[in-house]
Amino acid sequence: MTSPFDVPSCDKCRKPAIHHQVYSGRMMCGVHLTDSVRKKVSKAIRKQLVIPYGGSITILVAISGGKDSAVLLDRIVDALGKNSRVTIVGGCVDEGIEGYRKPSLECARQLCADLGVRFETVSYPELGFIEMDEAVKRIELTNDKKTPCSYCGVFRRQGVNHLAKRVGADVIAFGHNLDDMAQTVLMNLQNGDVDRTLRLAPHTENLIEGMIPRIVPLRWVPEQEVHLFALERGLPIHHDECPHGEGALRFRHREMVALMESDTPGSRHGMLRFADEIKSIHQKLDQKRMAPPEACPVCGELCSGTICKACEMKESLGSNPSS
Ligand code: SF4
Ligand SMILES: [Zn+2]
Ligand SMILES: [Zn+2]
């Protein structure tokens, strides 16, 4: 008979379990959890990354100092680090957030040093944007209903694109995990935004004209498993949350996805499969639905309006005090 104080054991090796994978029913020890994450991510890298026959590629891995991108870089280096046809670069955008970005940037730099990967960084002022701490003050003054993250997300995307161009990247890898992906699918659904659903990474089979393709090898790994993997591997990661993140719409979606998953285990996988299915049906039927993106007349980045979102937001926040 088992007592309530018995530690559940791993299904595979009977060692004490550290994780209950509710959606599969499995109990896992640290070794078998890392094994499972490793296999899932390696399979996703093989599926999403196309290395041209006889050619070479450069991958920019967007890193932040947090657990997701640390695991992503660790896995990409493990899978491709010895391949002479692949160049891996870690790139981090410095948004200018006092007390948060500096230590996380250091973790990102340390990770690259540990893995023997070139490290690149760019700051908002270098990109012509004001630092986020200053932007937050100005957003409050403008009575704008948009949260700091709405601005920051747009600016950071430009930062990653800038780094990708700087290093001549053919592919950009992002550390979005299964929870992130499910939240995005839900947000797009709520907004009735089919185009964004169709543009969801990975872009392996649906290249977007004028855009460096994105891959997301952690997309089938839940956030908790990514975190446990990072701890098991002892990767240098920064744990604090950004002070400006509160109030972001994504937090509401995070709660909703977590609730759905706890009510119906497997919901996150279902949401992602649903988006994949829409993409695949679109590919077979109606490839011309999306208007081709145009270049922003101010900065040259891709945009769907008259000027791009980043230029529009930059304009609304006023000029950069340091420029
Ligand atoms: S939480 Fe929001 S403001 Fe903070 S770094 Fe992320 S996107 Fe930027
Ligand atoms: Zn085990
Ligand atoms: Zn622009």
Side-chain angles (χ1 to χ4, degrees):
M1 204 175 89
T2 54
S3 96
F5 302 108
D6 279 348
V7 178
S9 54
C10 175
D11 296 340
K12 290 214 163 160
C13 69
R14 313 317 296 171
K15 289 210 181 92
I18 62 158
H19 180 54
H20 181 202
Q21 200 176 58
V22 183
Y23 57 89
S24 70
R26 284 181 63 190
M27 284 287 181
M28 301 166 132
C29 68
V31 171
H32 285 108
L33 172 81
T34 47
D35 209 38
S36 146
V37 171
R38 189 174 288 135
K39 280 186 191 144
K40 269 189 210 172
V41 182
S42 300
K43 187 174 164 194
I45 293 173
R46 281 197 303 276
K47 204 167 165 201
Q48 295 180 26
L49 189 70
V50 181
I51 305 174
Y53 184 71
S56 58
I57 58 162
T58 297
I59 310 170
L60 177 80
V61 182
I63 53 172
S64 66
K67 62 181 187 325
D68 301 298
S69 55
V71 170
L72 173 70
L73 185 60
D74 176 67
R75 292 298 81 214
I76 288 184
V77 169
D78 184 66
L80 302 161
K82 294 200 177 75
N83 188 331
S84 58
R85 289 158 58 205
V86 179
T87 304
I88 304 165
V89 183
C92 186
V93 179
D94 179 355
E95 303 93 345
I97 301 170
E98 182 74 32
Y100 165 72
R101 183 41 80 201
K102 215 165 169 229
S104 49
L105 200 71
E106 277 321 302
C107 284
R109 196 190 302 276
Q110 184 61 51
L111 178 73
C112 286
D114 291 351
L115 296 172
V117 165
R118 173 178 158 198
F119 177 68
E120 292 283 334
T121 179
V122 67
S123 70
Y124 276 7
E126 283 176 79
L127 296 159
F129 303 131
I130 53 175
E131 294 195 319
M132 266 324 279
D133 286 341
E134 175 63 22
V136 169
K137 290 185 201 147
R138 296 197 194 179
I139 294 166
E140 277 164 13
L141 291 177
T142 59
N143 266 337
D144 190 344
K145 294 220 167 37
K146 283 200 261 325
T147 61
C149 297
S150 312
Y151 286 85
C152 191
V154 170
F155 296 164
R156 197 170 27 186
R157 197 172 321 132
Q158 284 226 350
V160 172
N161 286 343
H162 174 95
L163 289 173
K165 282 184 199 144
R166 188 197 284 172
V167 306
D170 303 288
V171 177
I172 306 175
F174 284 97
H176 304 318
N177 59 49
L178 177 61
D179 295 66
D180 297 326
M181 297 299 296
Q183 288 154 22
T184 305
V185 172
L186 190 62
M187 262 193 263
N188 292 341
L189 181 68
Q190 182 182 34
N191 295 328
D193 201 334
V194 177
D195 283 357
R196 260 179 211 259
T197 308
L198 296 175
R199 284 201 300 265
L200 263 186
H203 299 147
T204 316
E205 270 146 33
N206 56 326
L207 295 175
I208 299 172
E209 205 184 308
M211 188 180 185
I212 300 174
R214 269 87 165 131
I215 59 168
V216 277
L218 305 187
R219 73 198 293 262
W220 292 111
V221 187
E223 178 170 14
Q224 194 193 6
E225 292 176 28
V226 173
H227 196 183
L228 288 168
F229 184 91
L231 296 178
E232 285 288 318
R233 290 270 302 148
L235 300 176
I237 52 173
H238 186 245
H239 292 273
D240 292 352
E241 296 262 358
C242 167
H244 306 312
E246 253 177 67
L249 201 57
R250 184 170 278 280
F251 280 71
R252 299 285 298 139
H253 290 89
R254 185 188 280 183
E255 284 169 16
M256 286 188 256
V257 167
L259 193 65
M260 283 194 232
E261 183 67 25
S262 86
D263 279 354
T264 314
S267 295
R268 293 167 299 186
H269 291 82
M271 282 188 265
L272 197 46
R273 279 202 306 273
F274 174 74
D276 281 355
E277 196 56 32
I278 290 185
K279 280 171 71 178
S280 141
I281 293 170
H282 167 259
Q283 275 227 302
K284 285 181 203 140
L285 292 179
D286 176 22
Q287 300 229 20
K288 295 197 177 61
R289 188 183 189 282
M290 281 192 290
E294 297 199 9
C296 167
V298 183
C299 72
E301 285 288 322
L302 293 182
C303 71
S304 44
T306 36
I307 64 168
C308 79
K309 265 262 163 307
C311 287
E312 190 188 308
M313 288 174 157
K314 188 166 148 185
E315 178 75 32
S316 77
L317 291 176
S319 63
N320 194 339
S322 58
S323 63

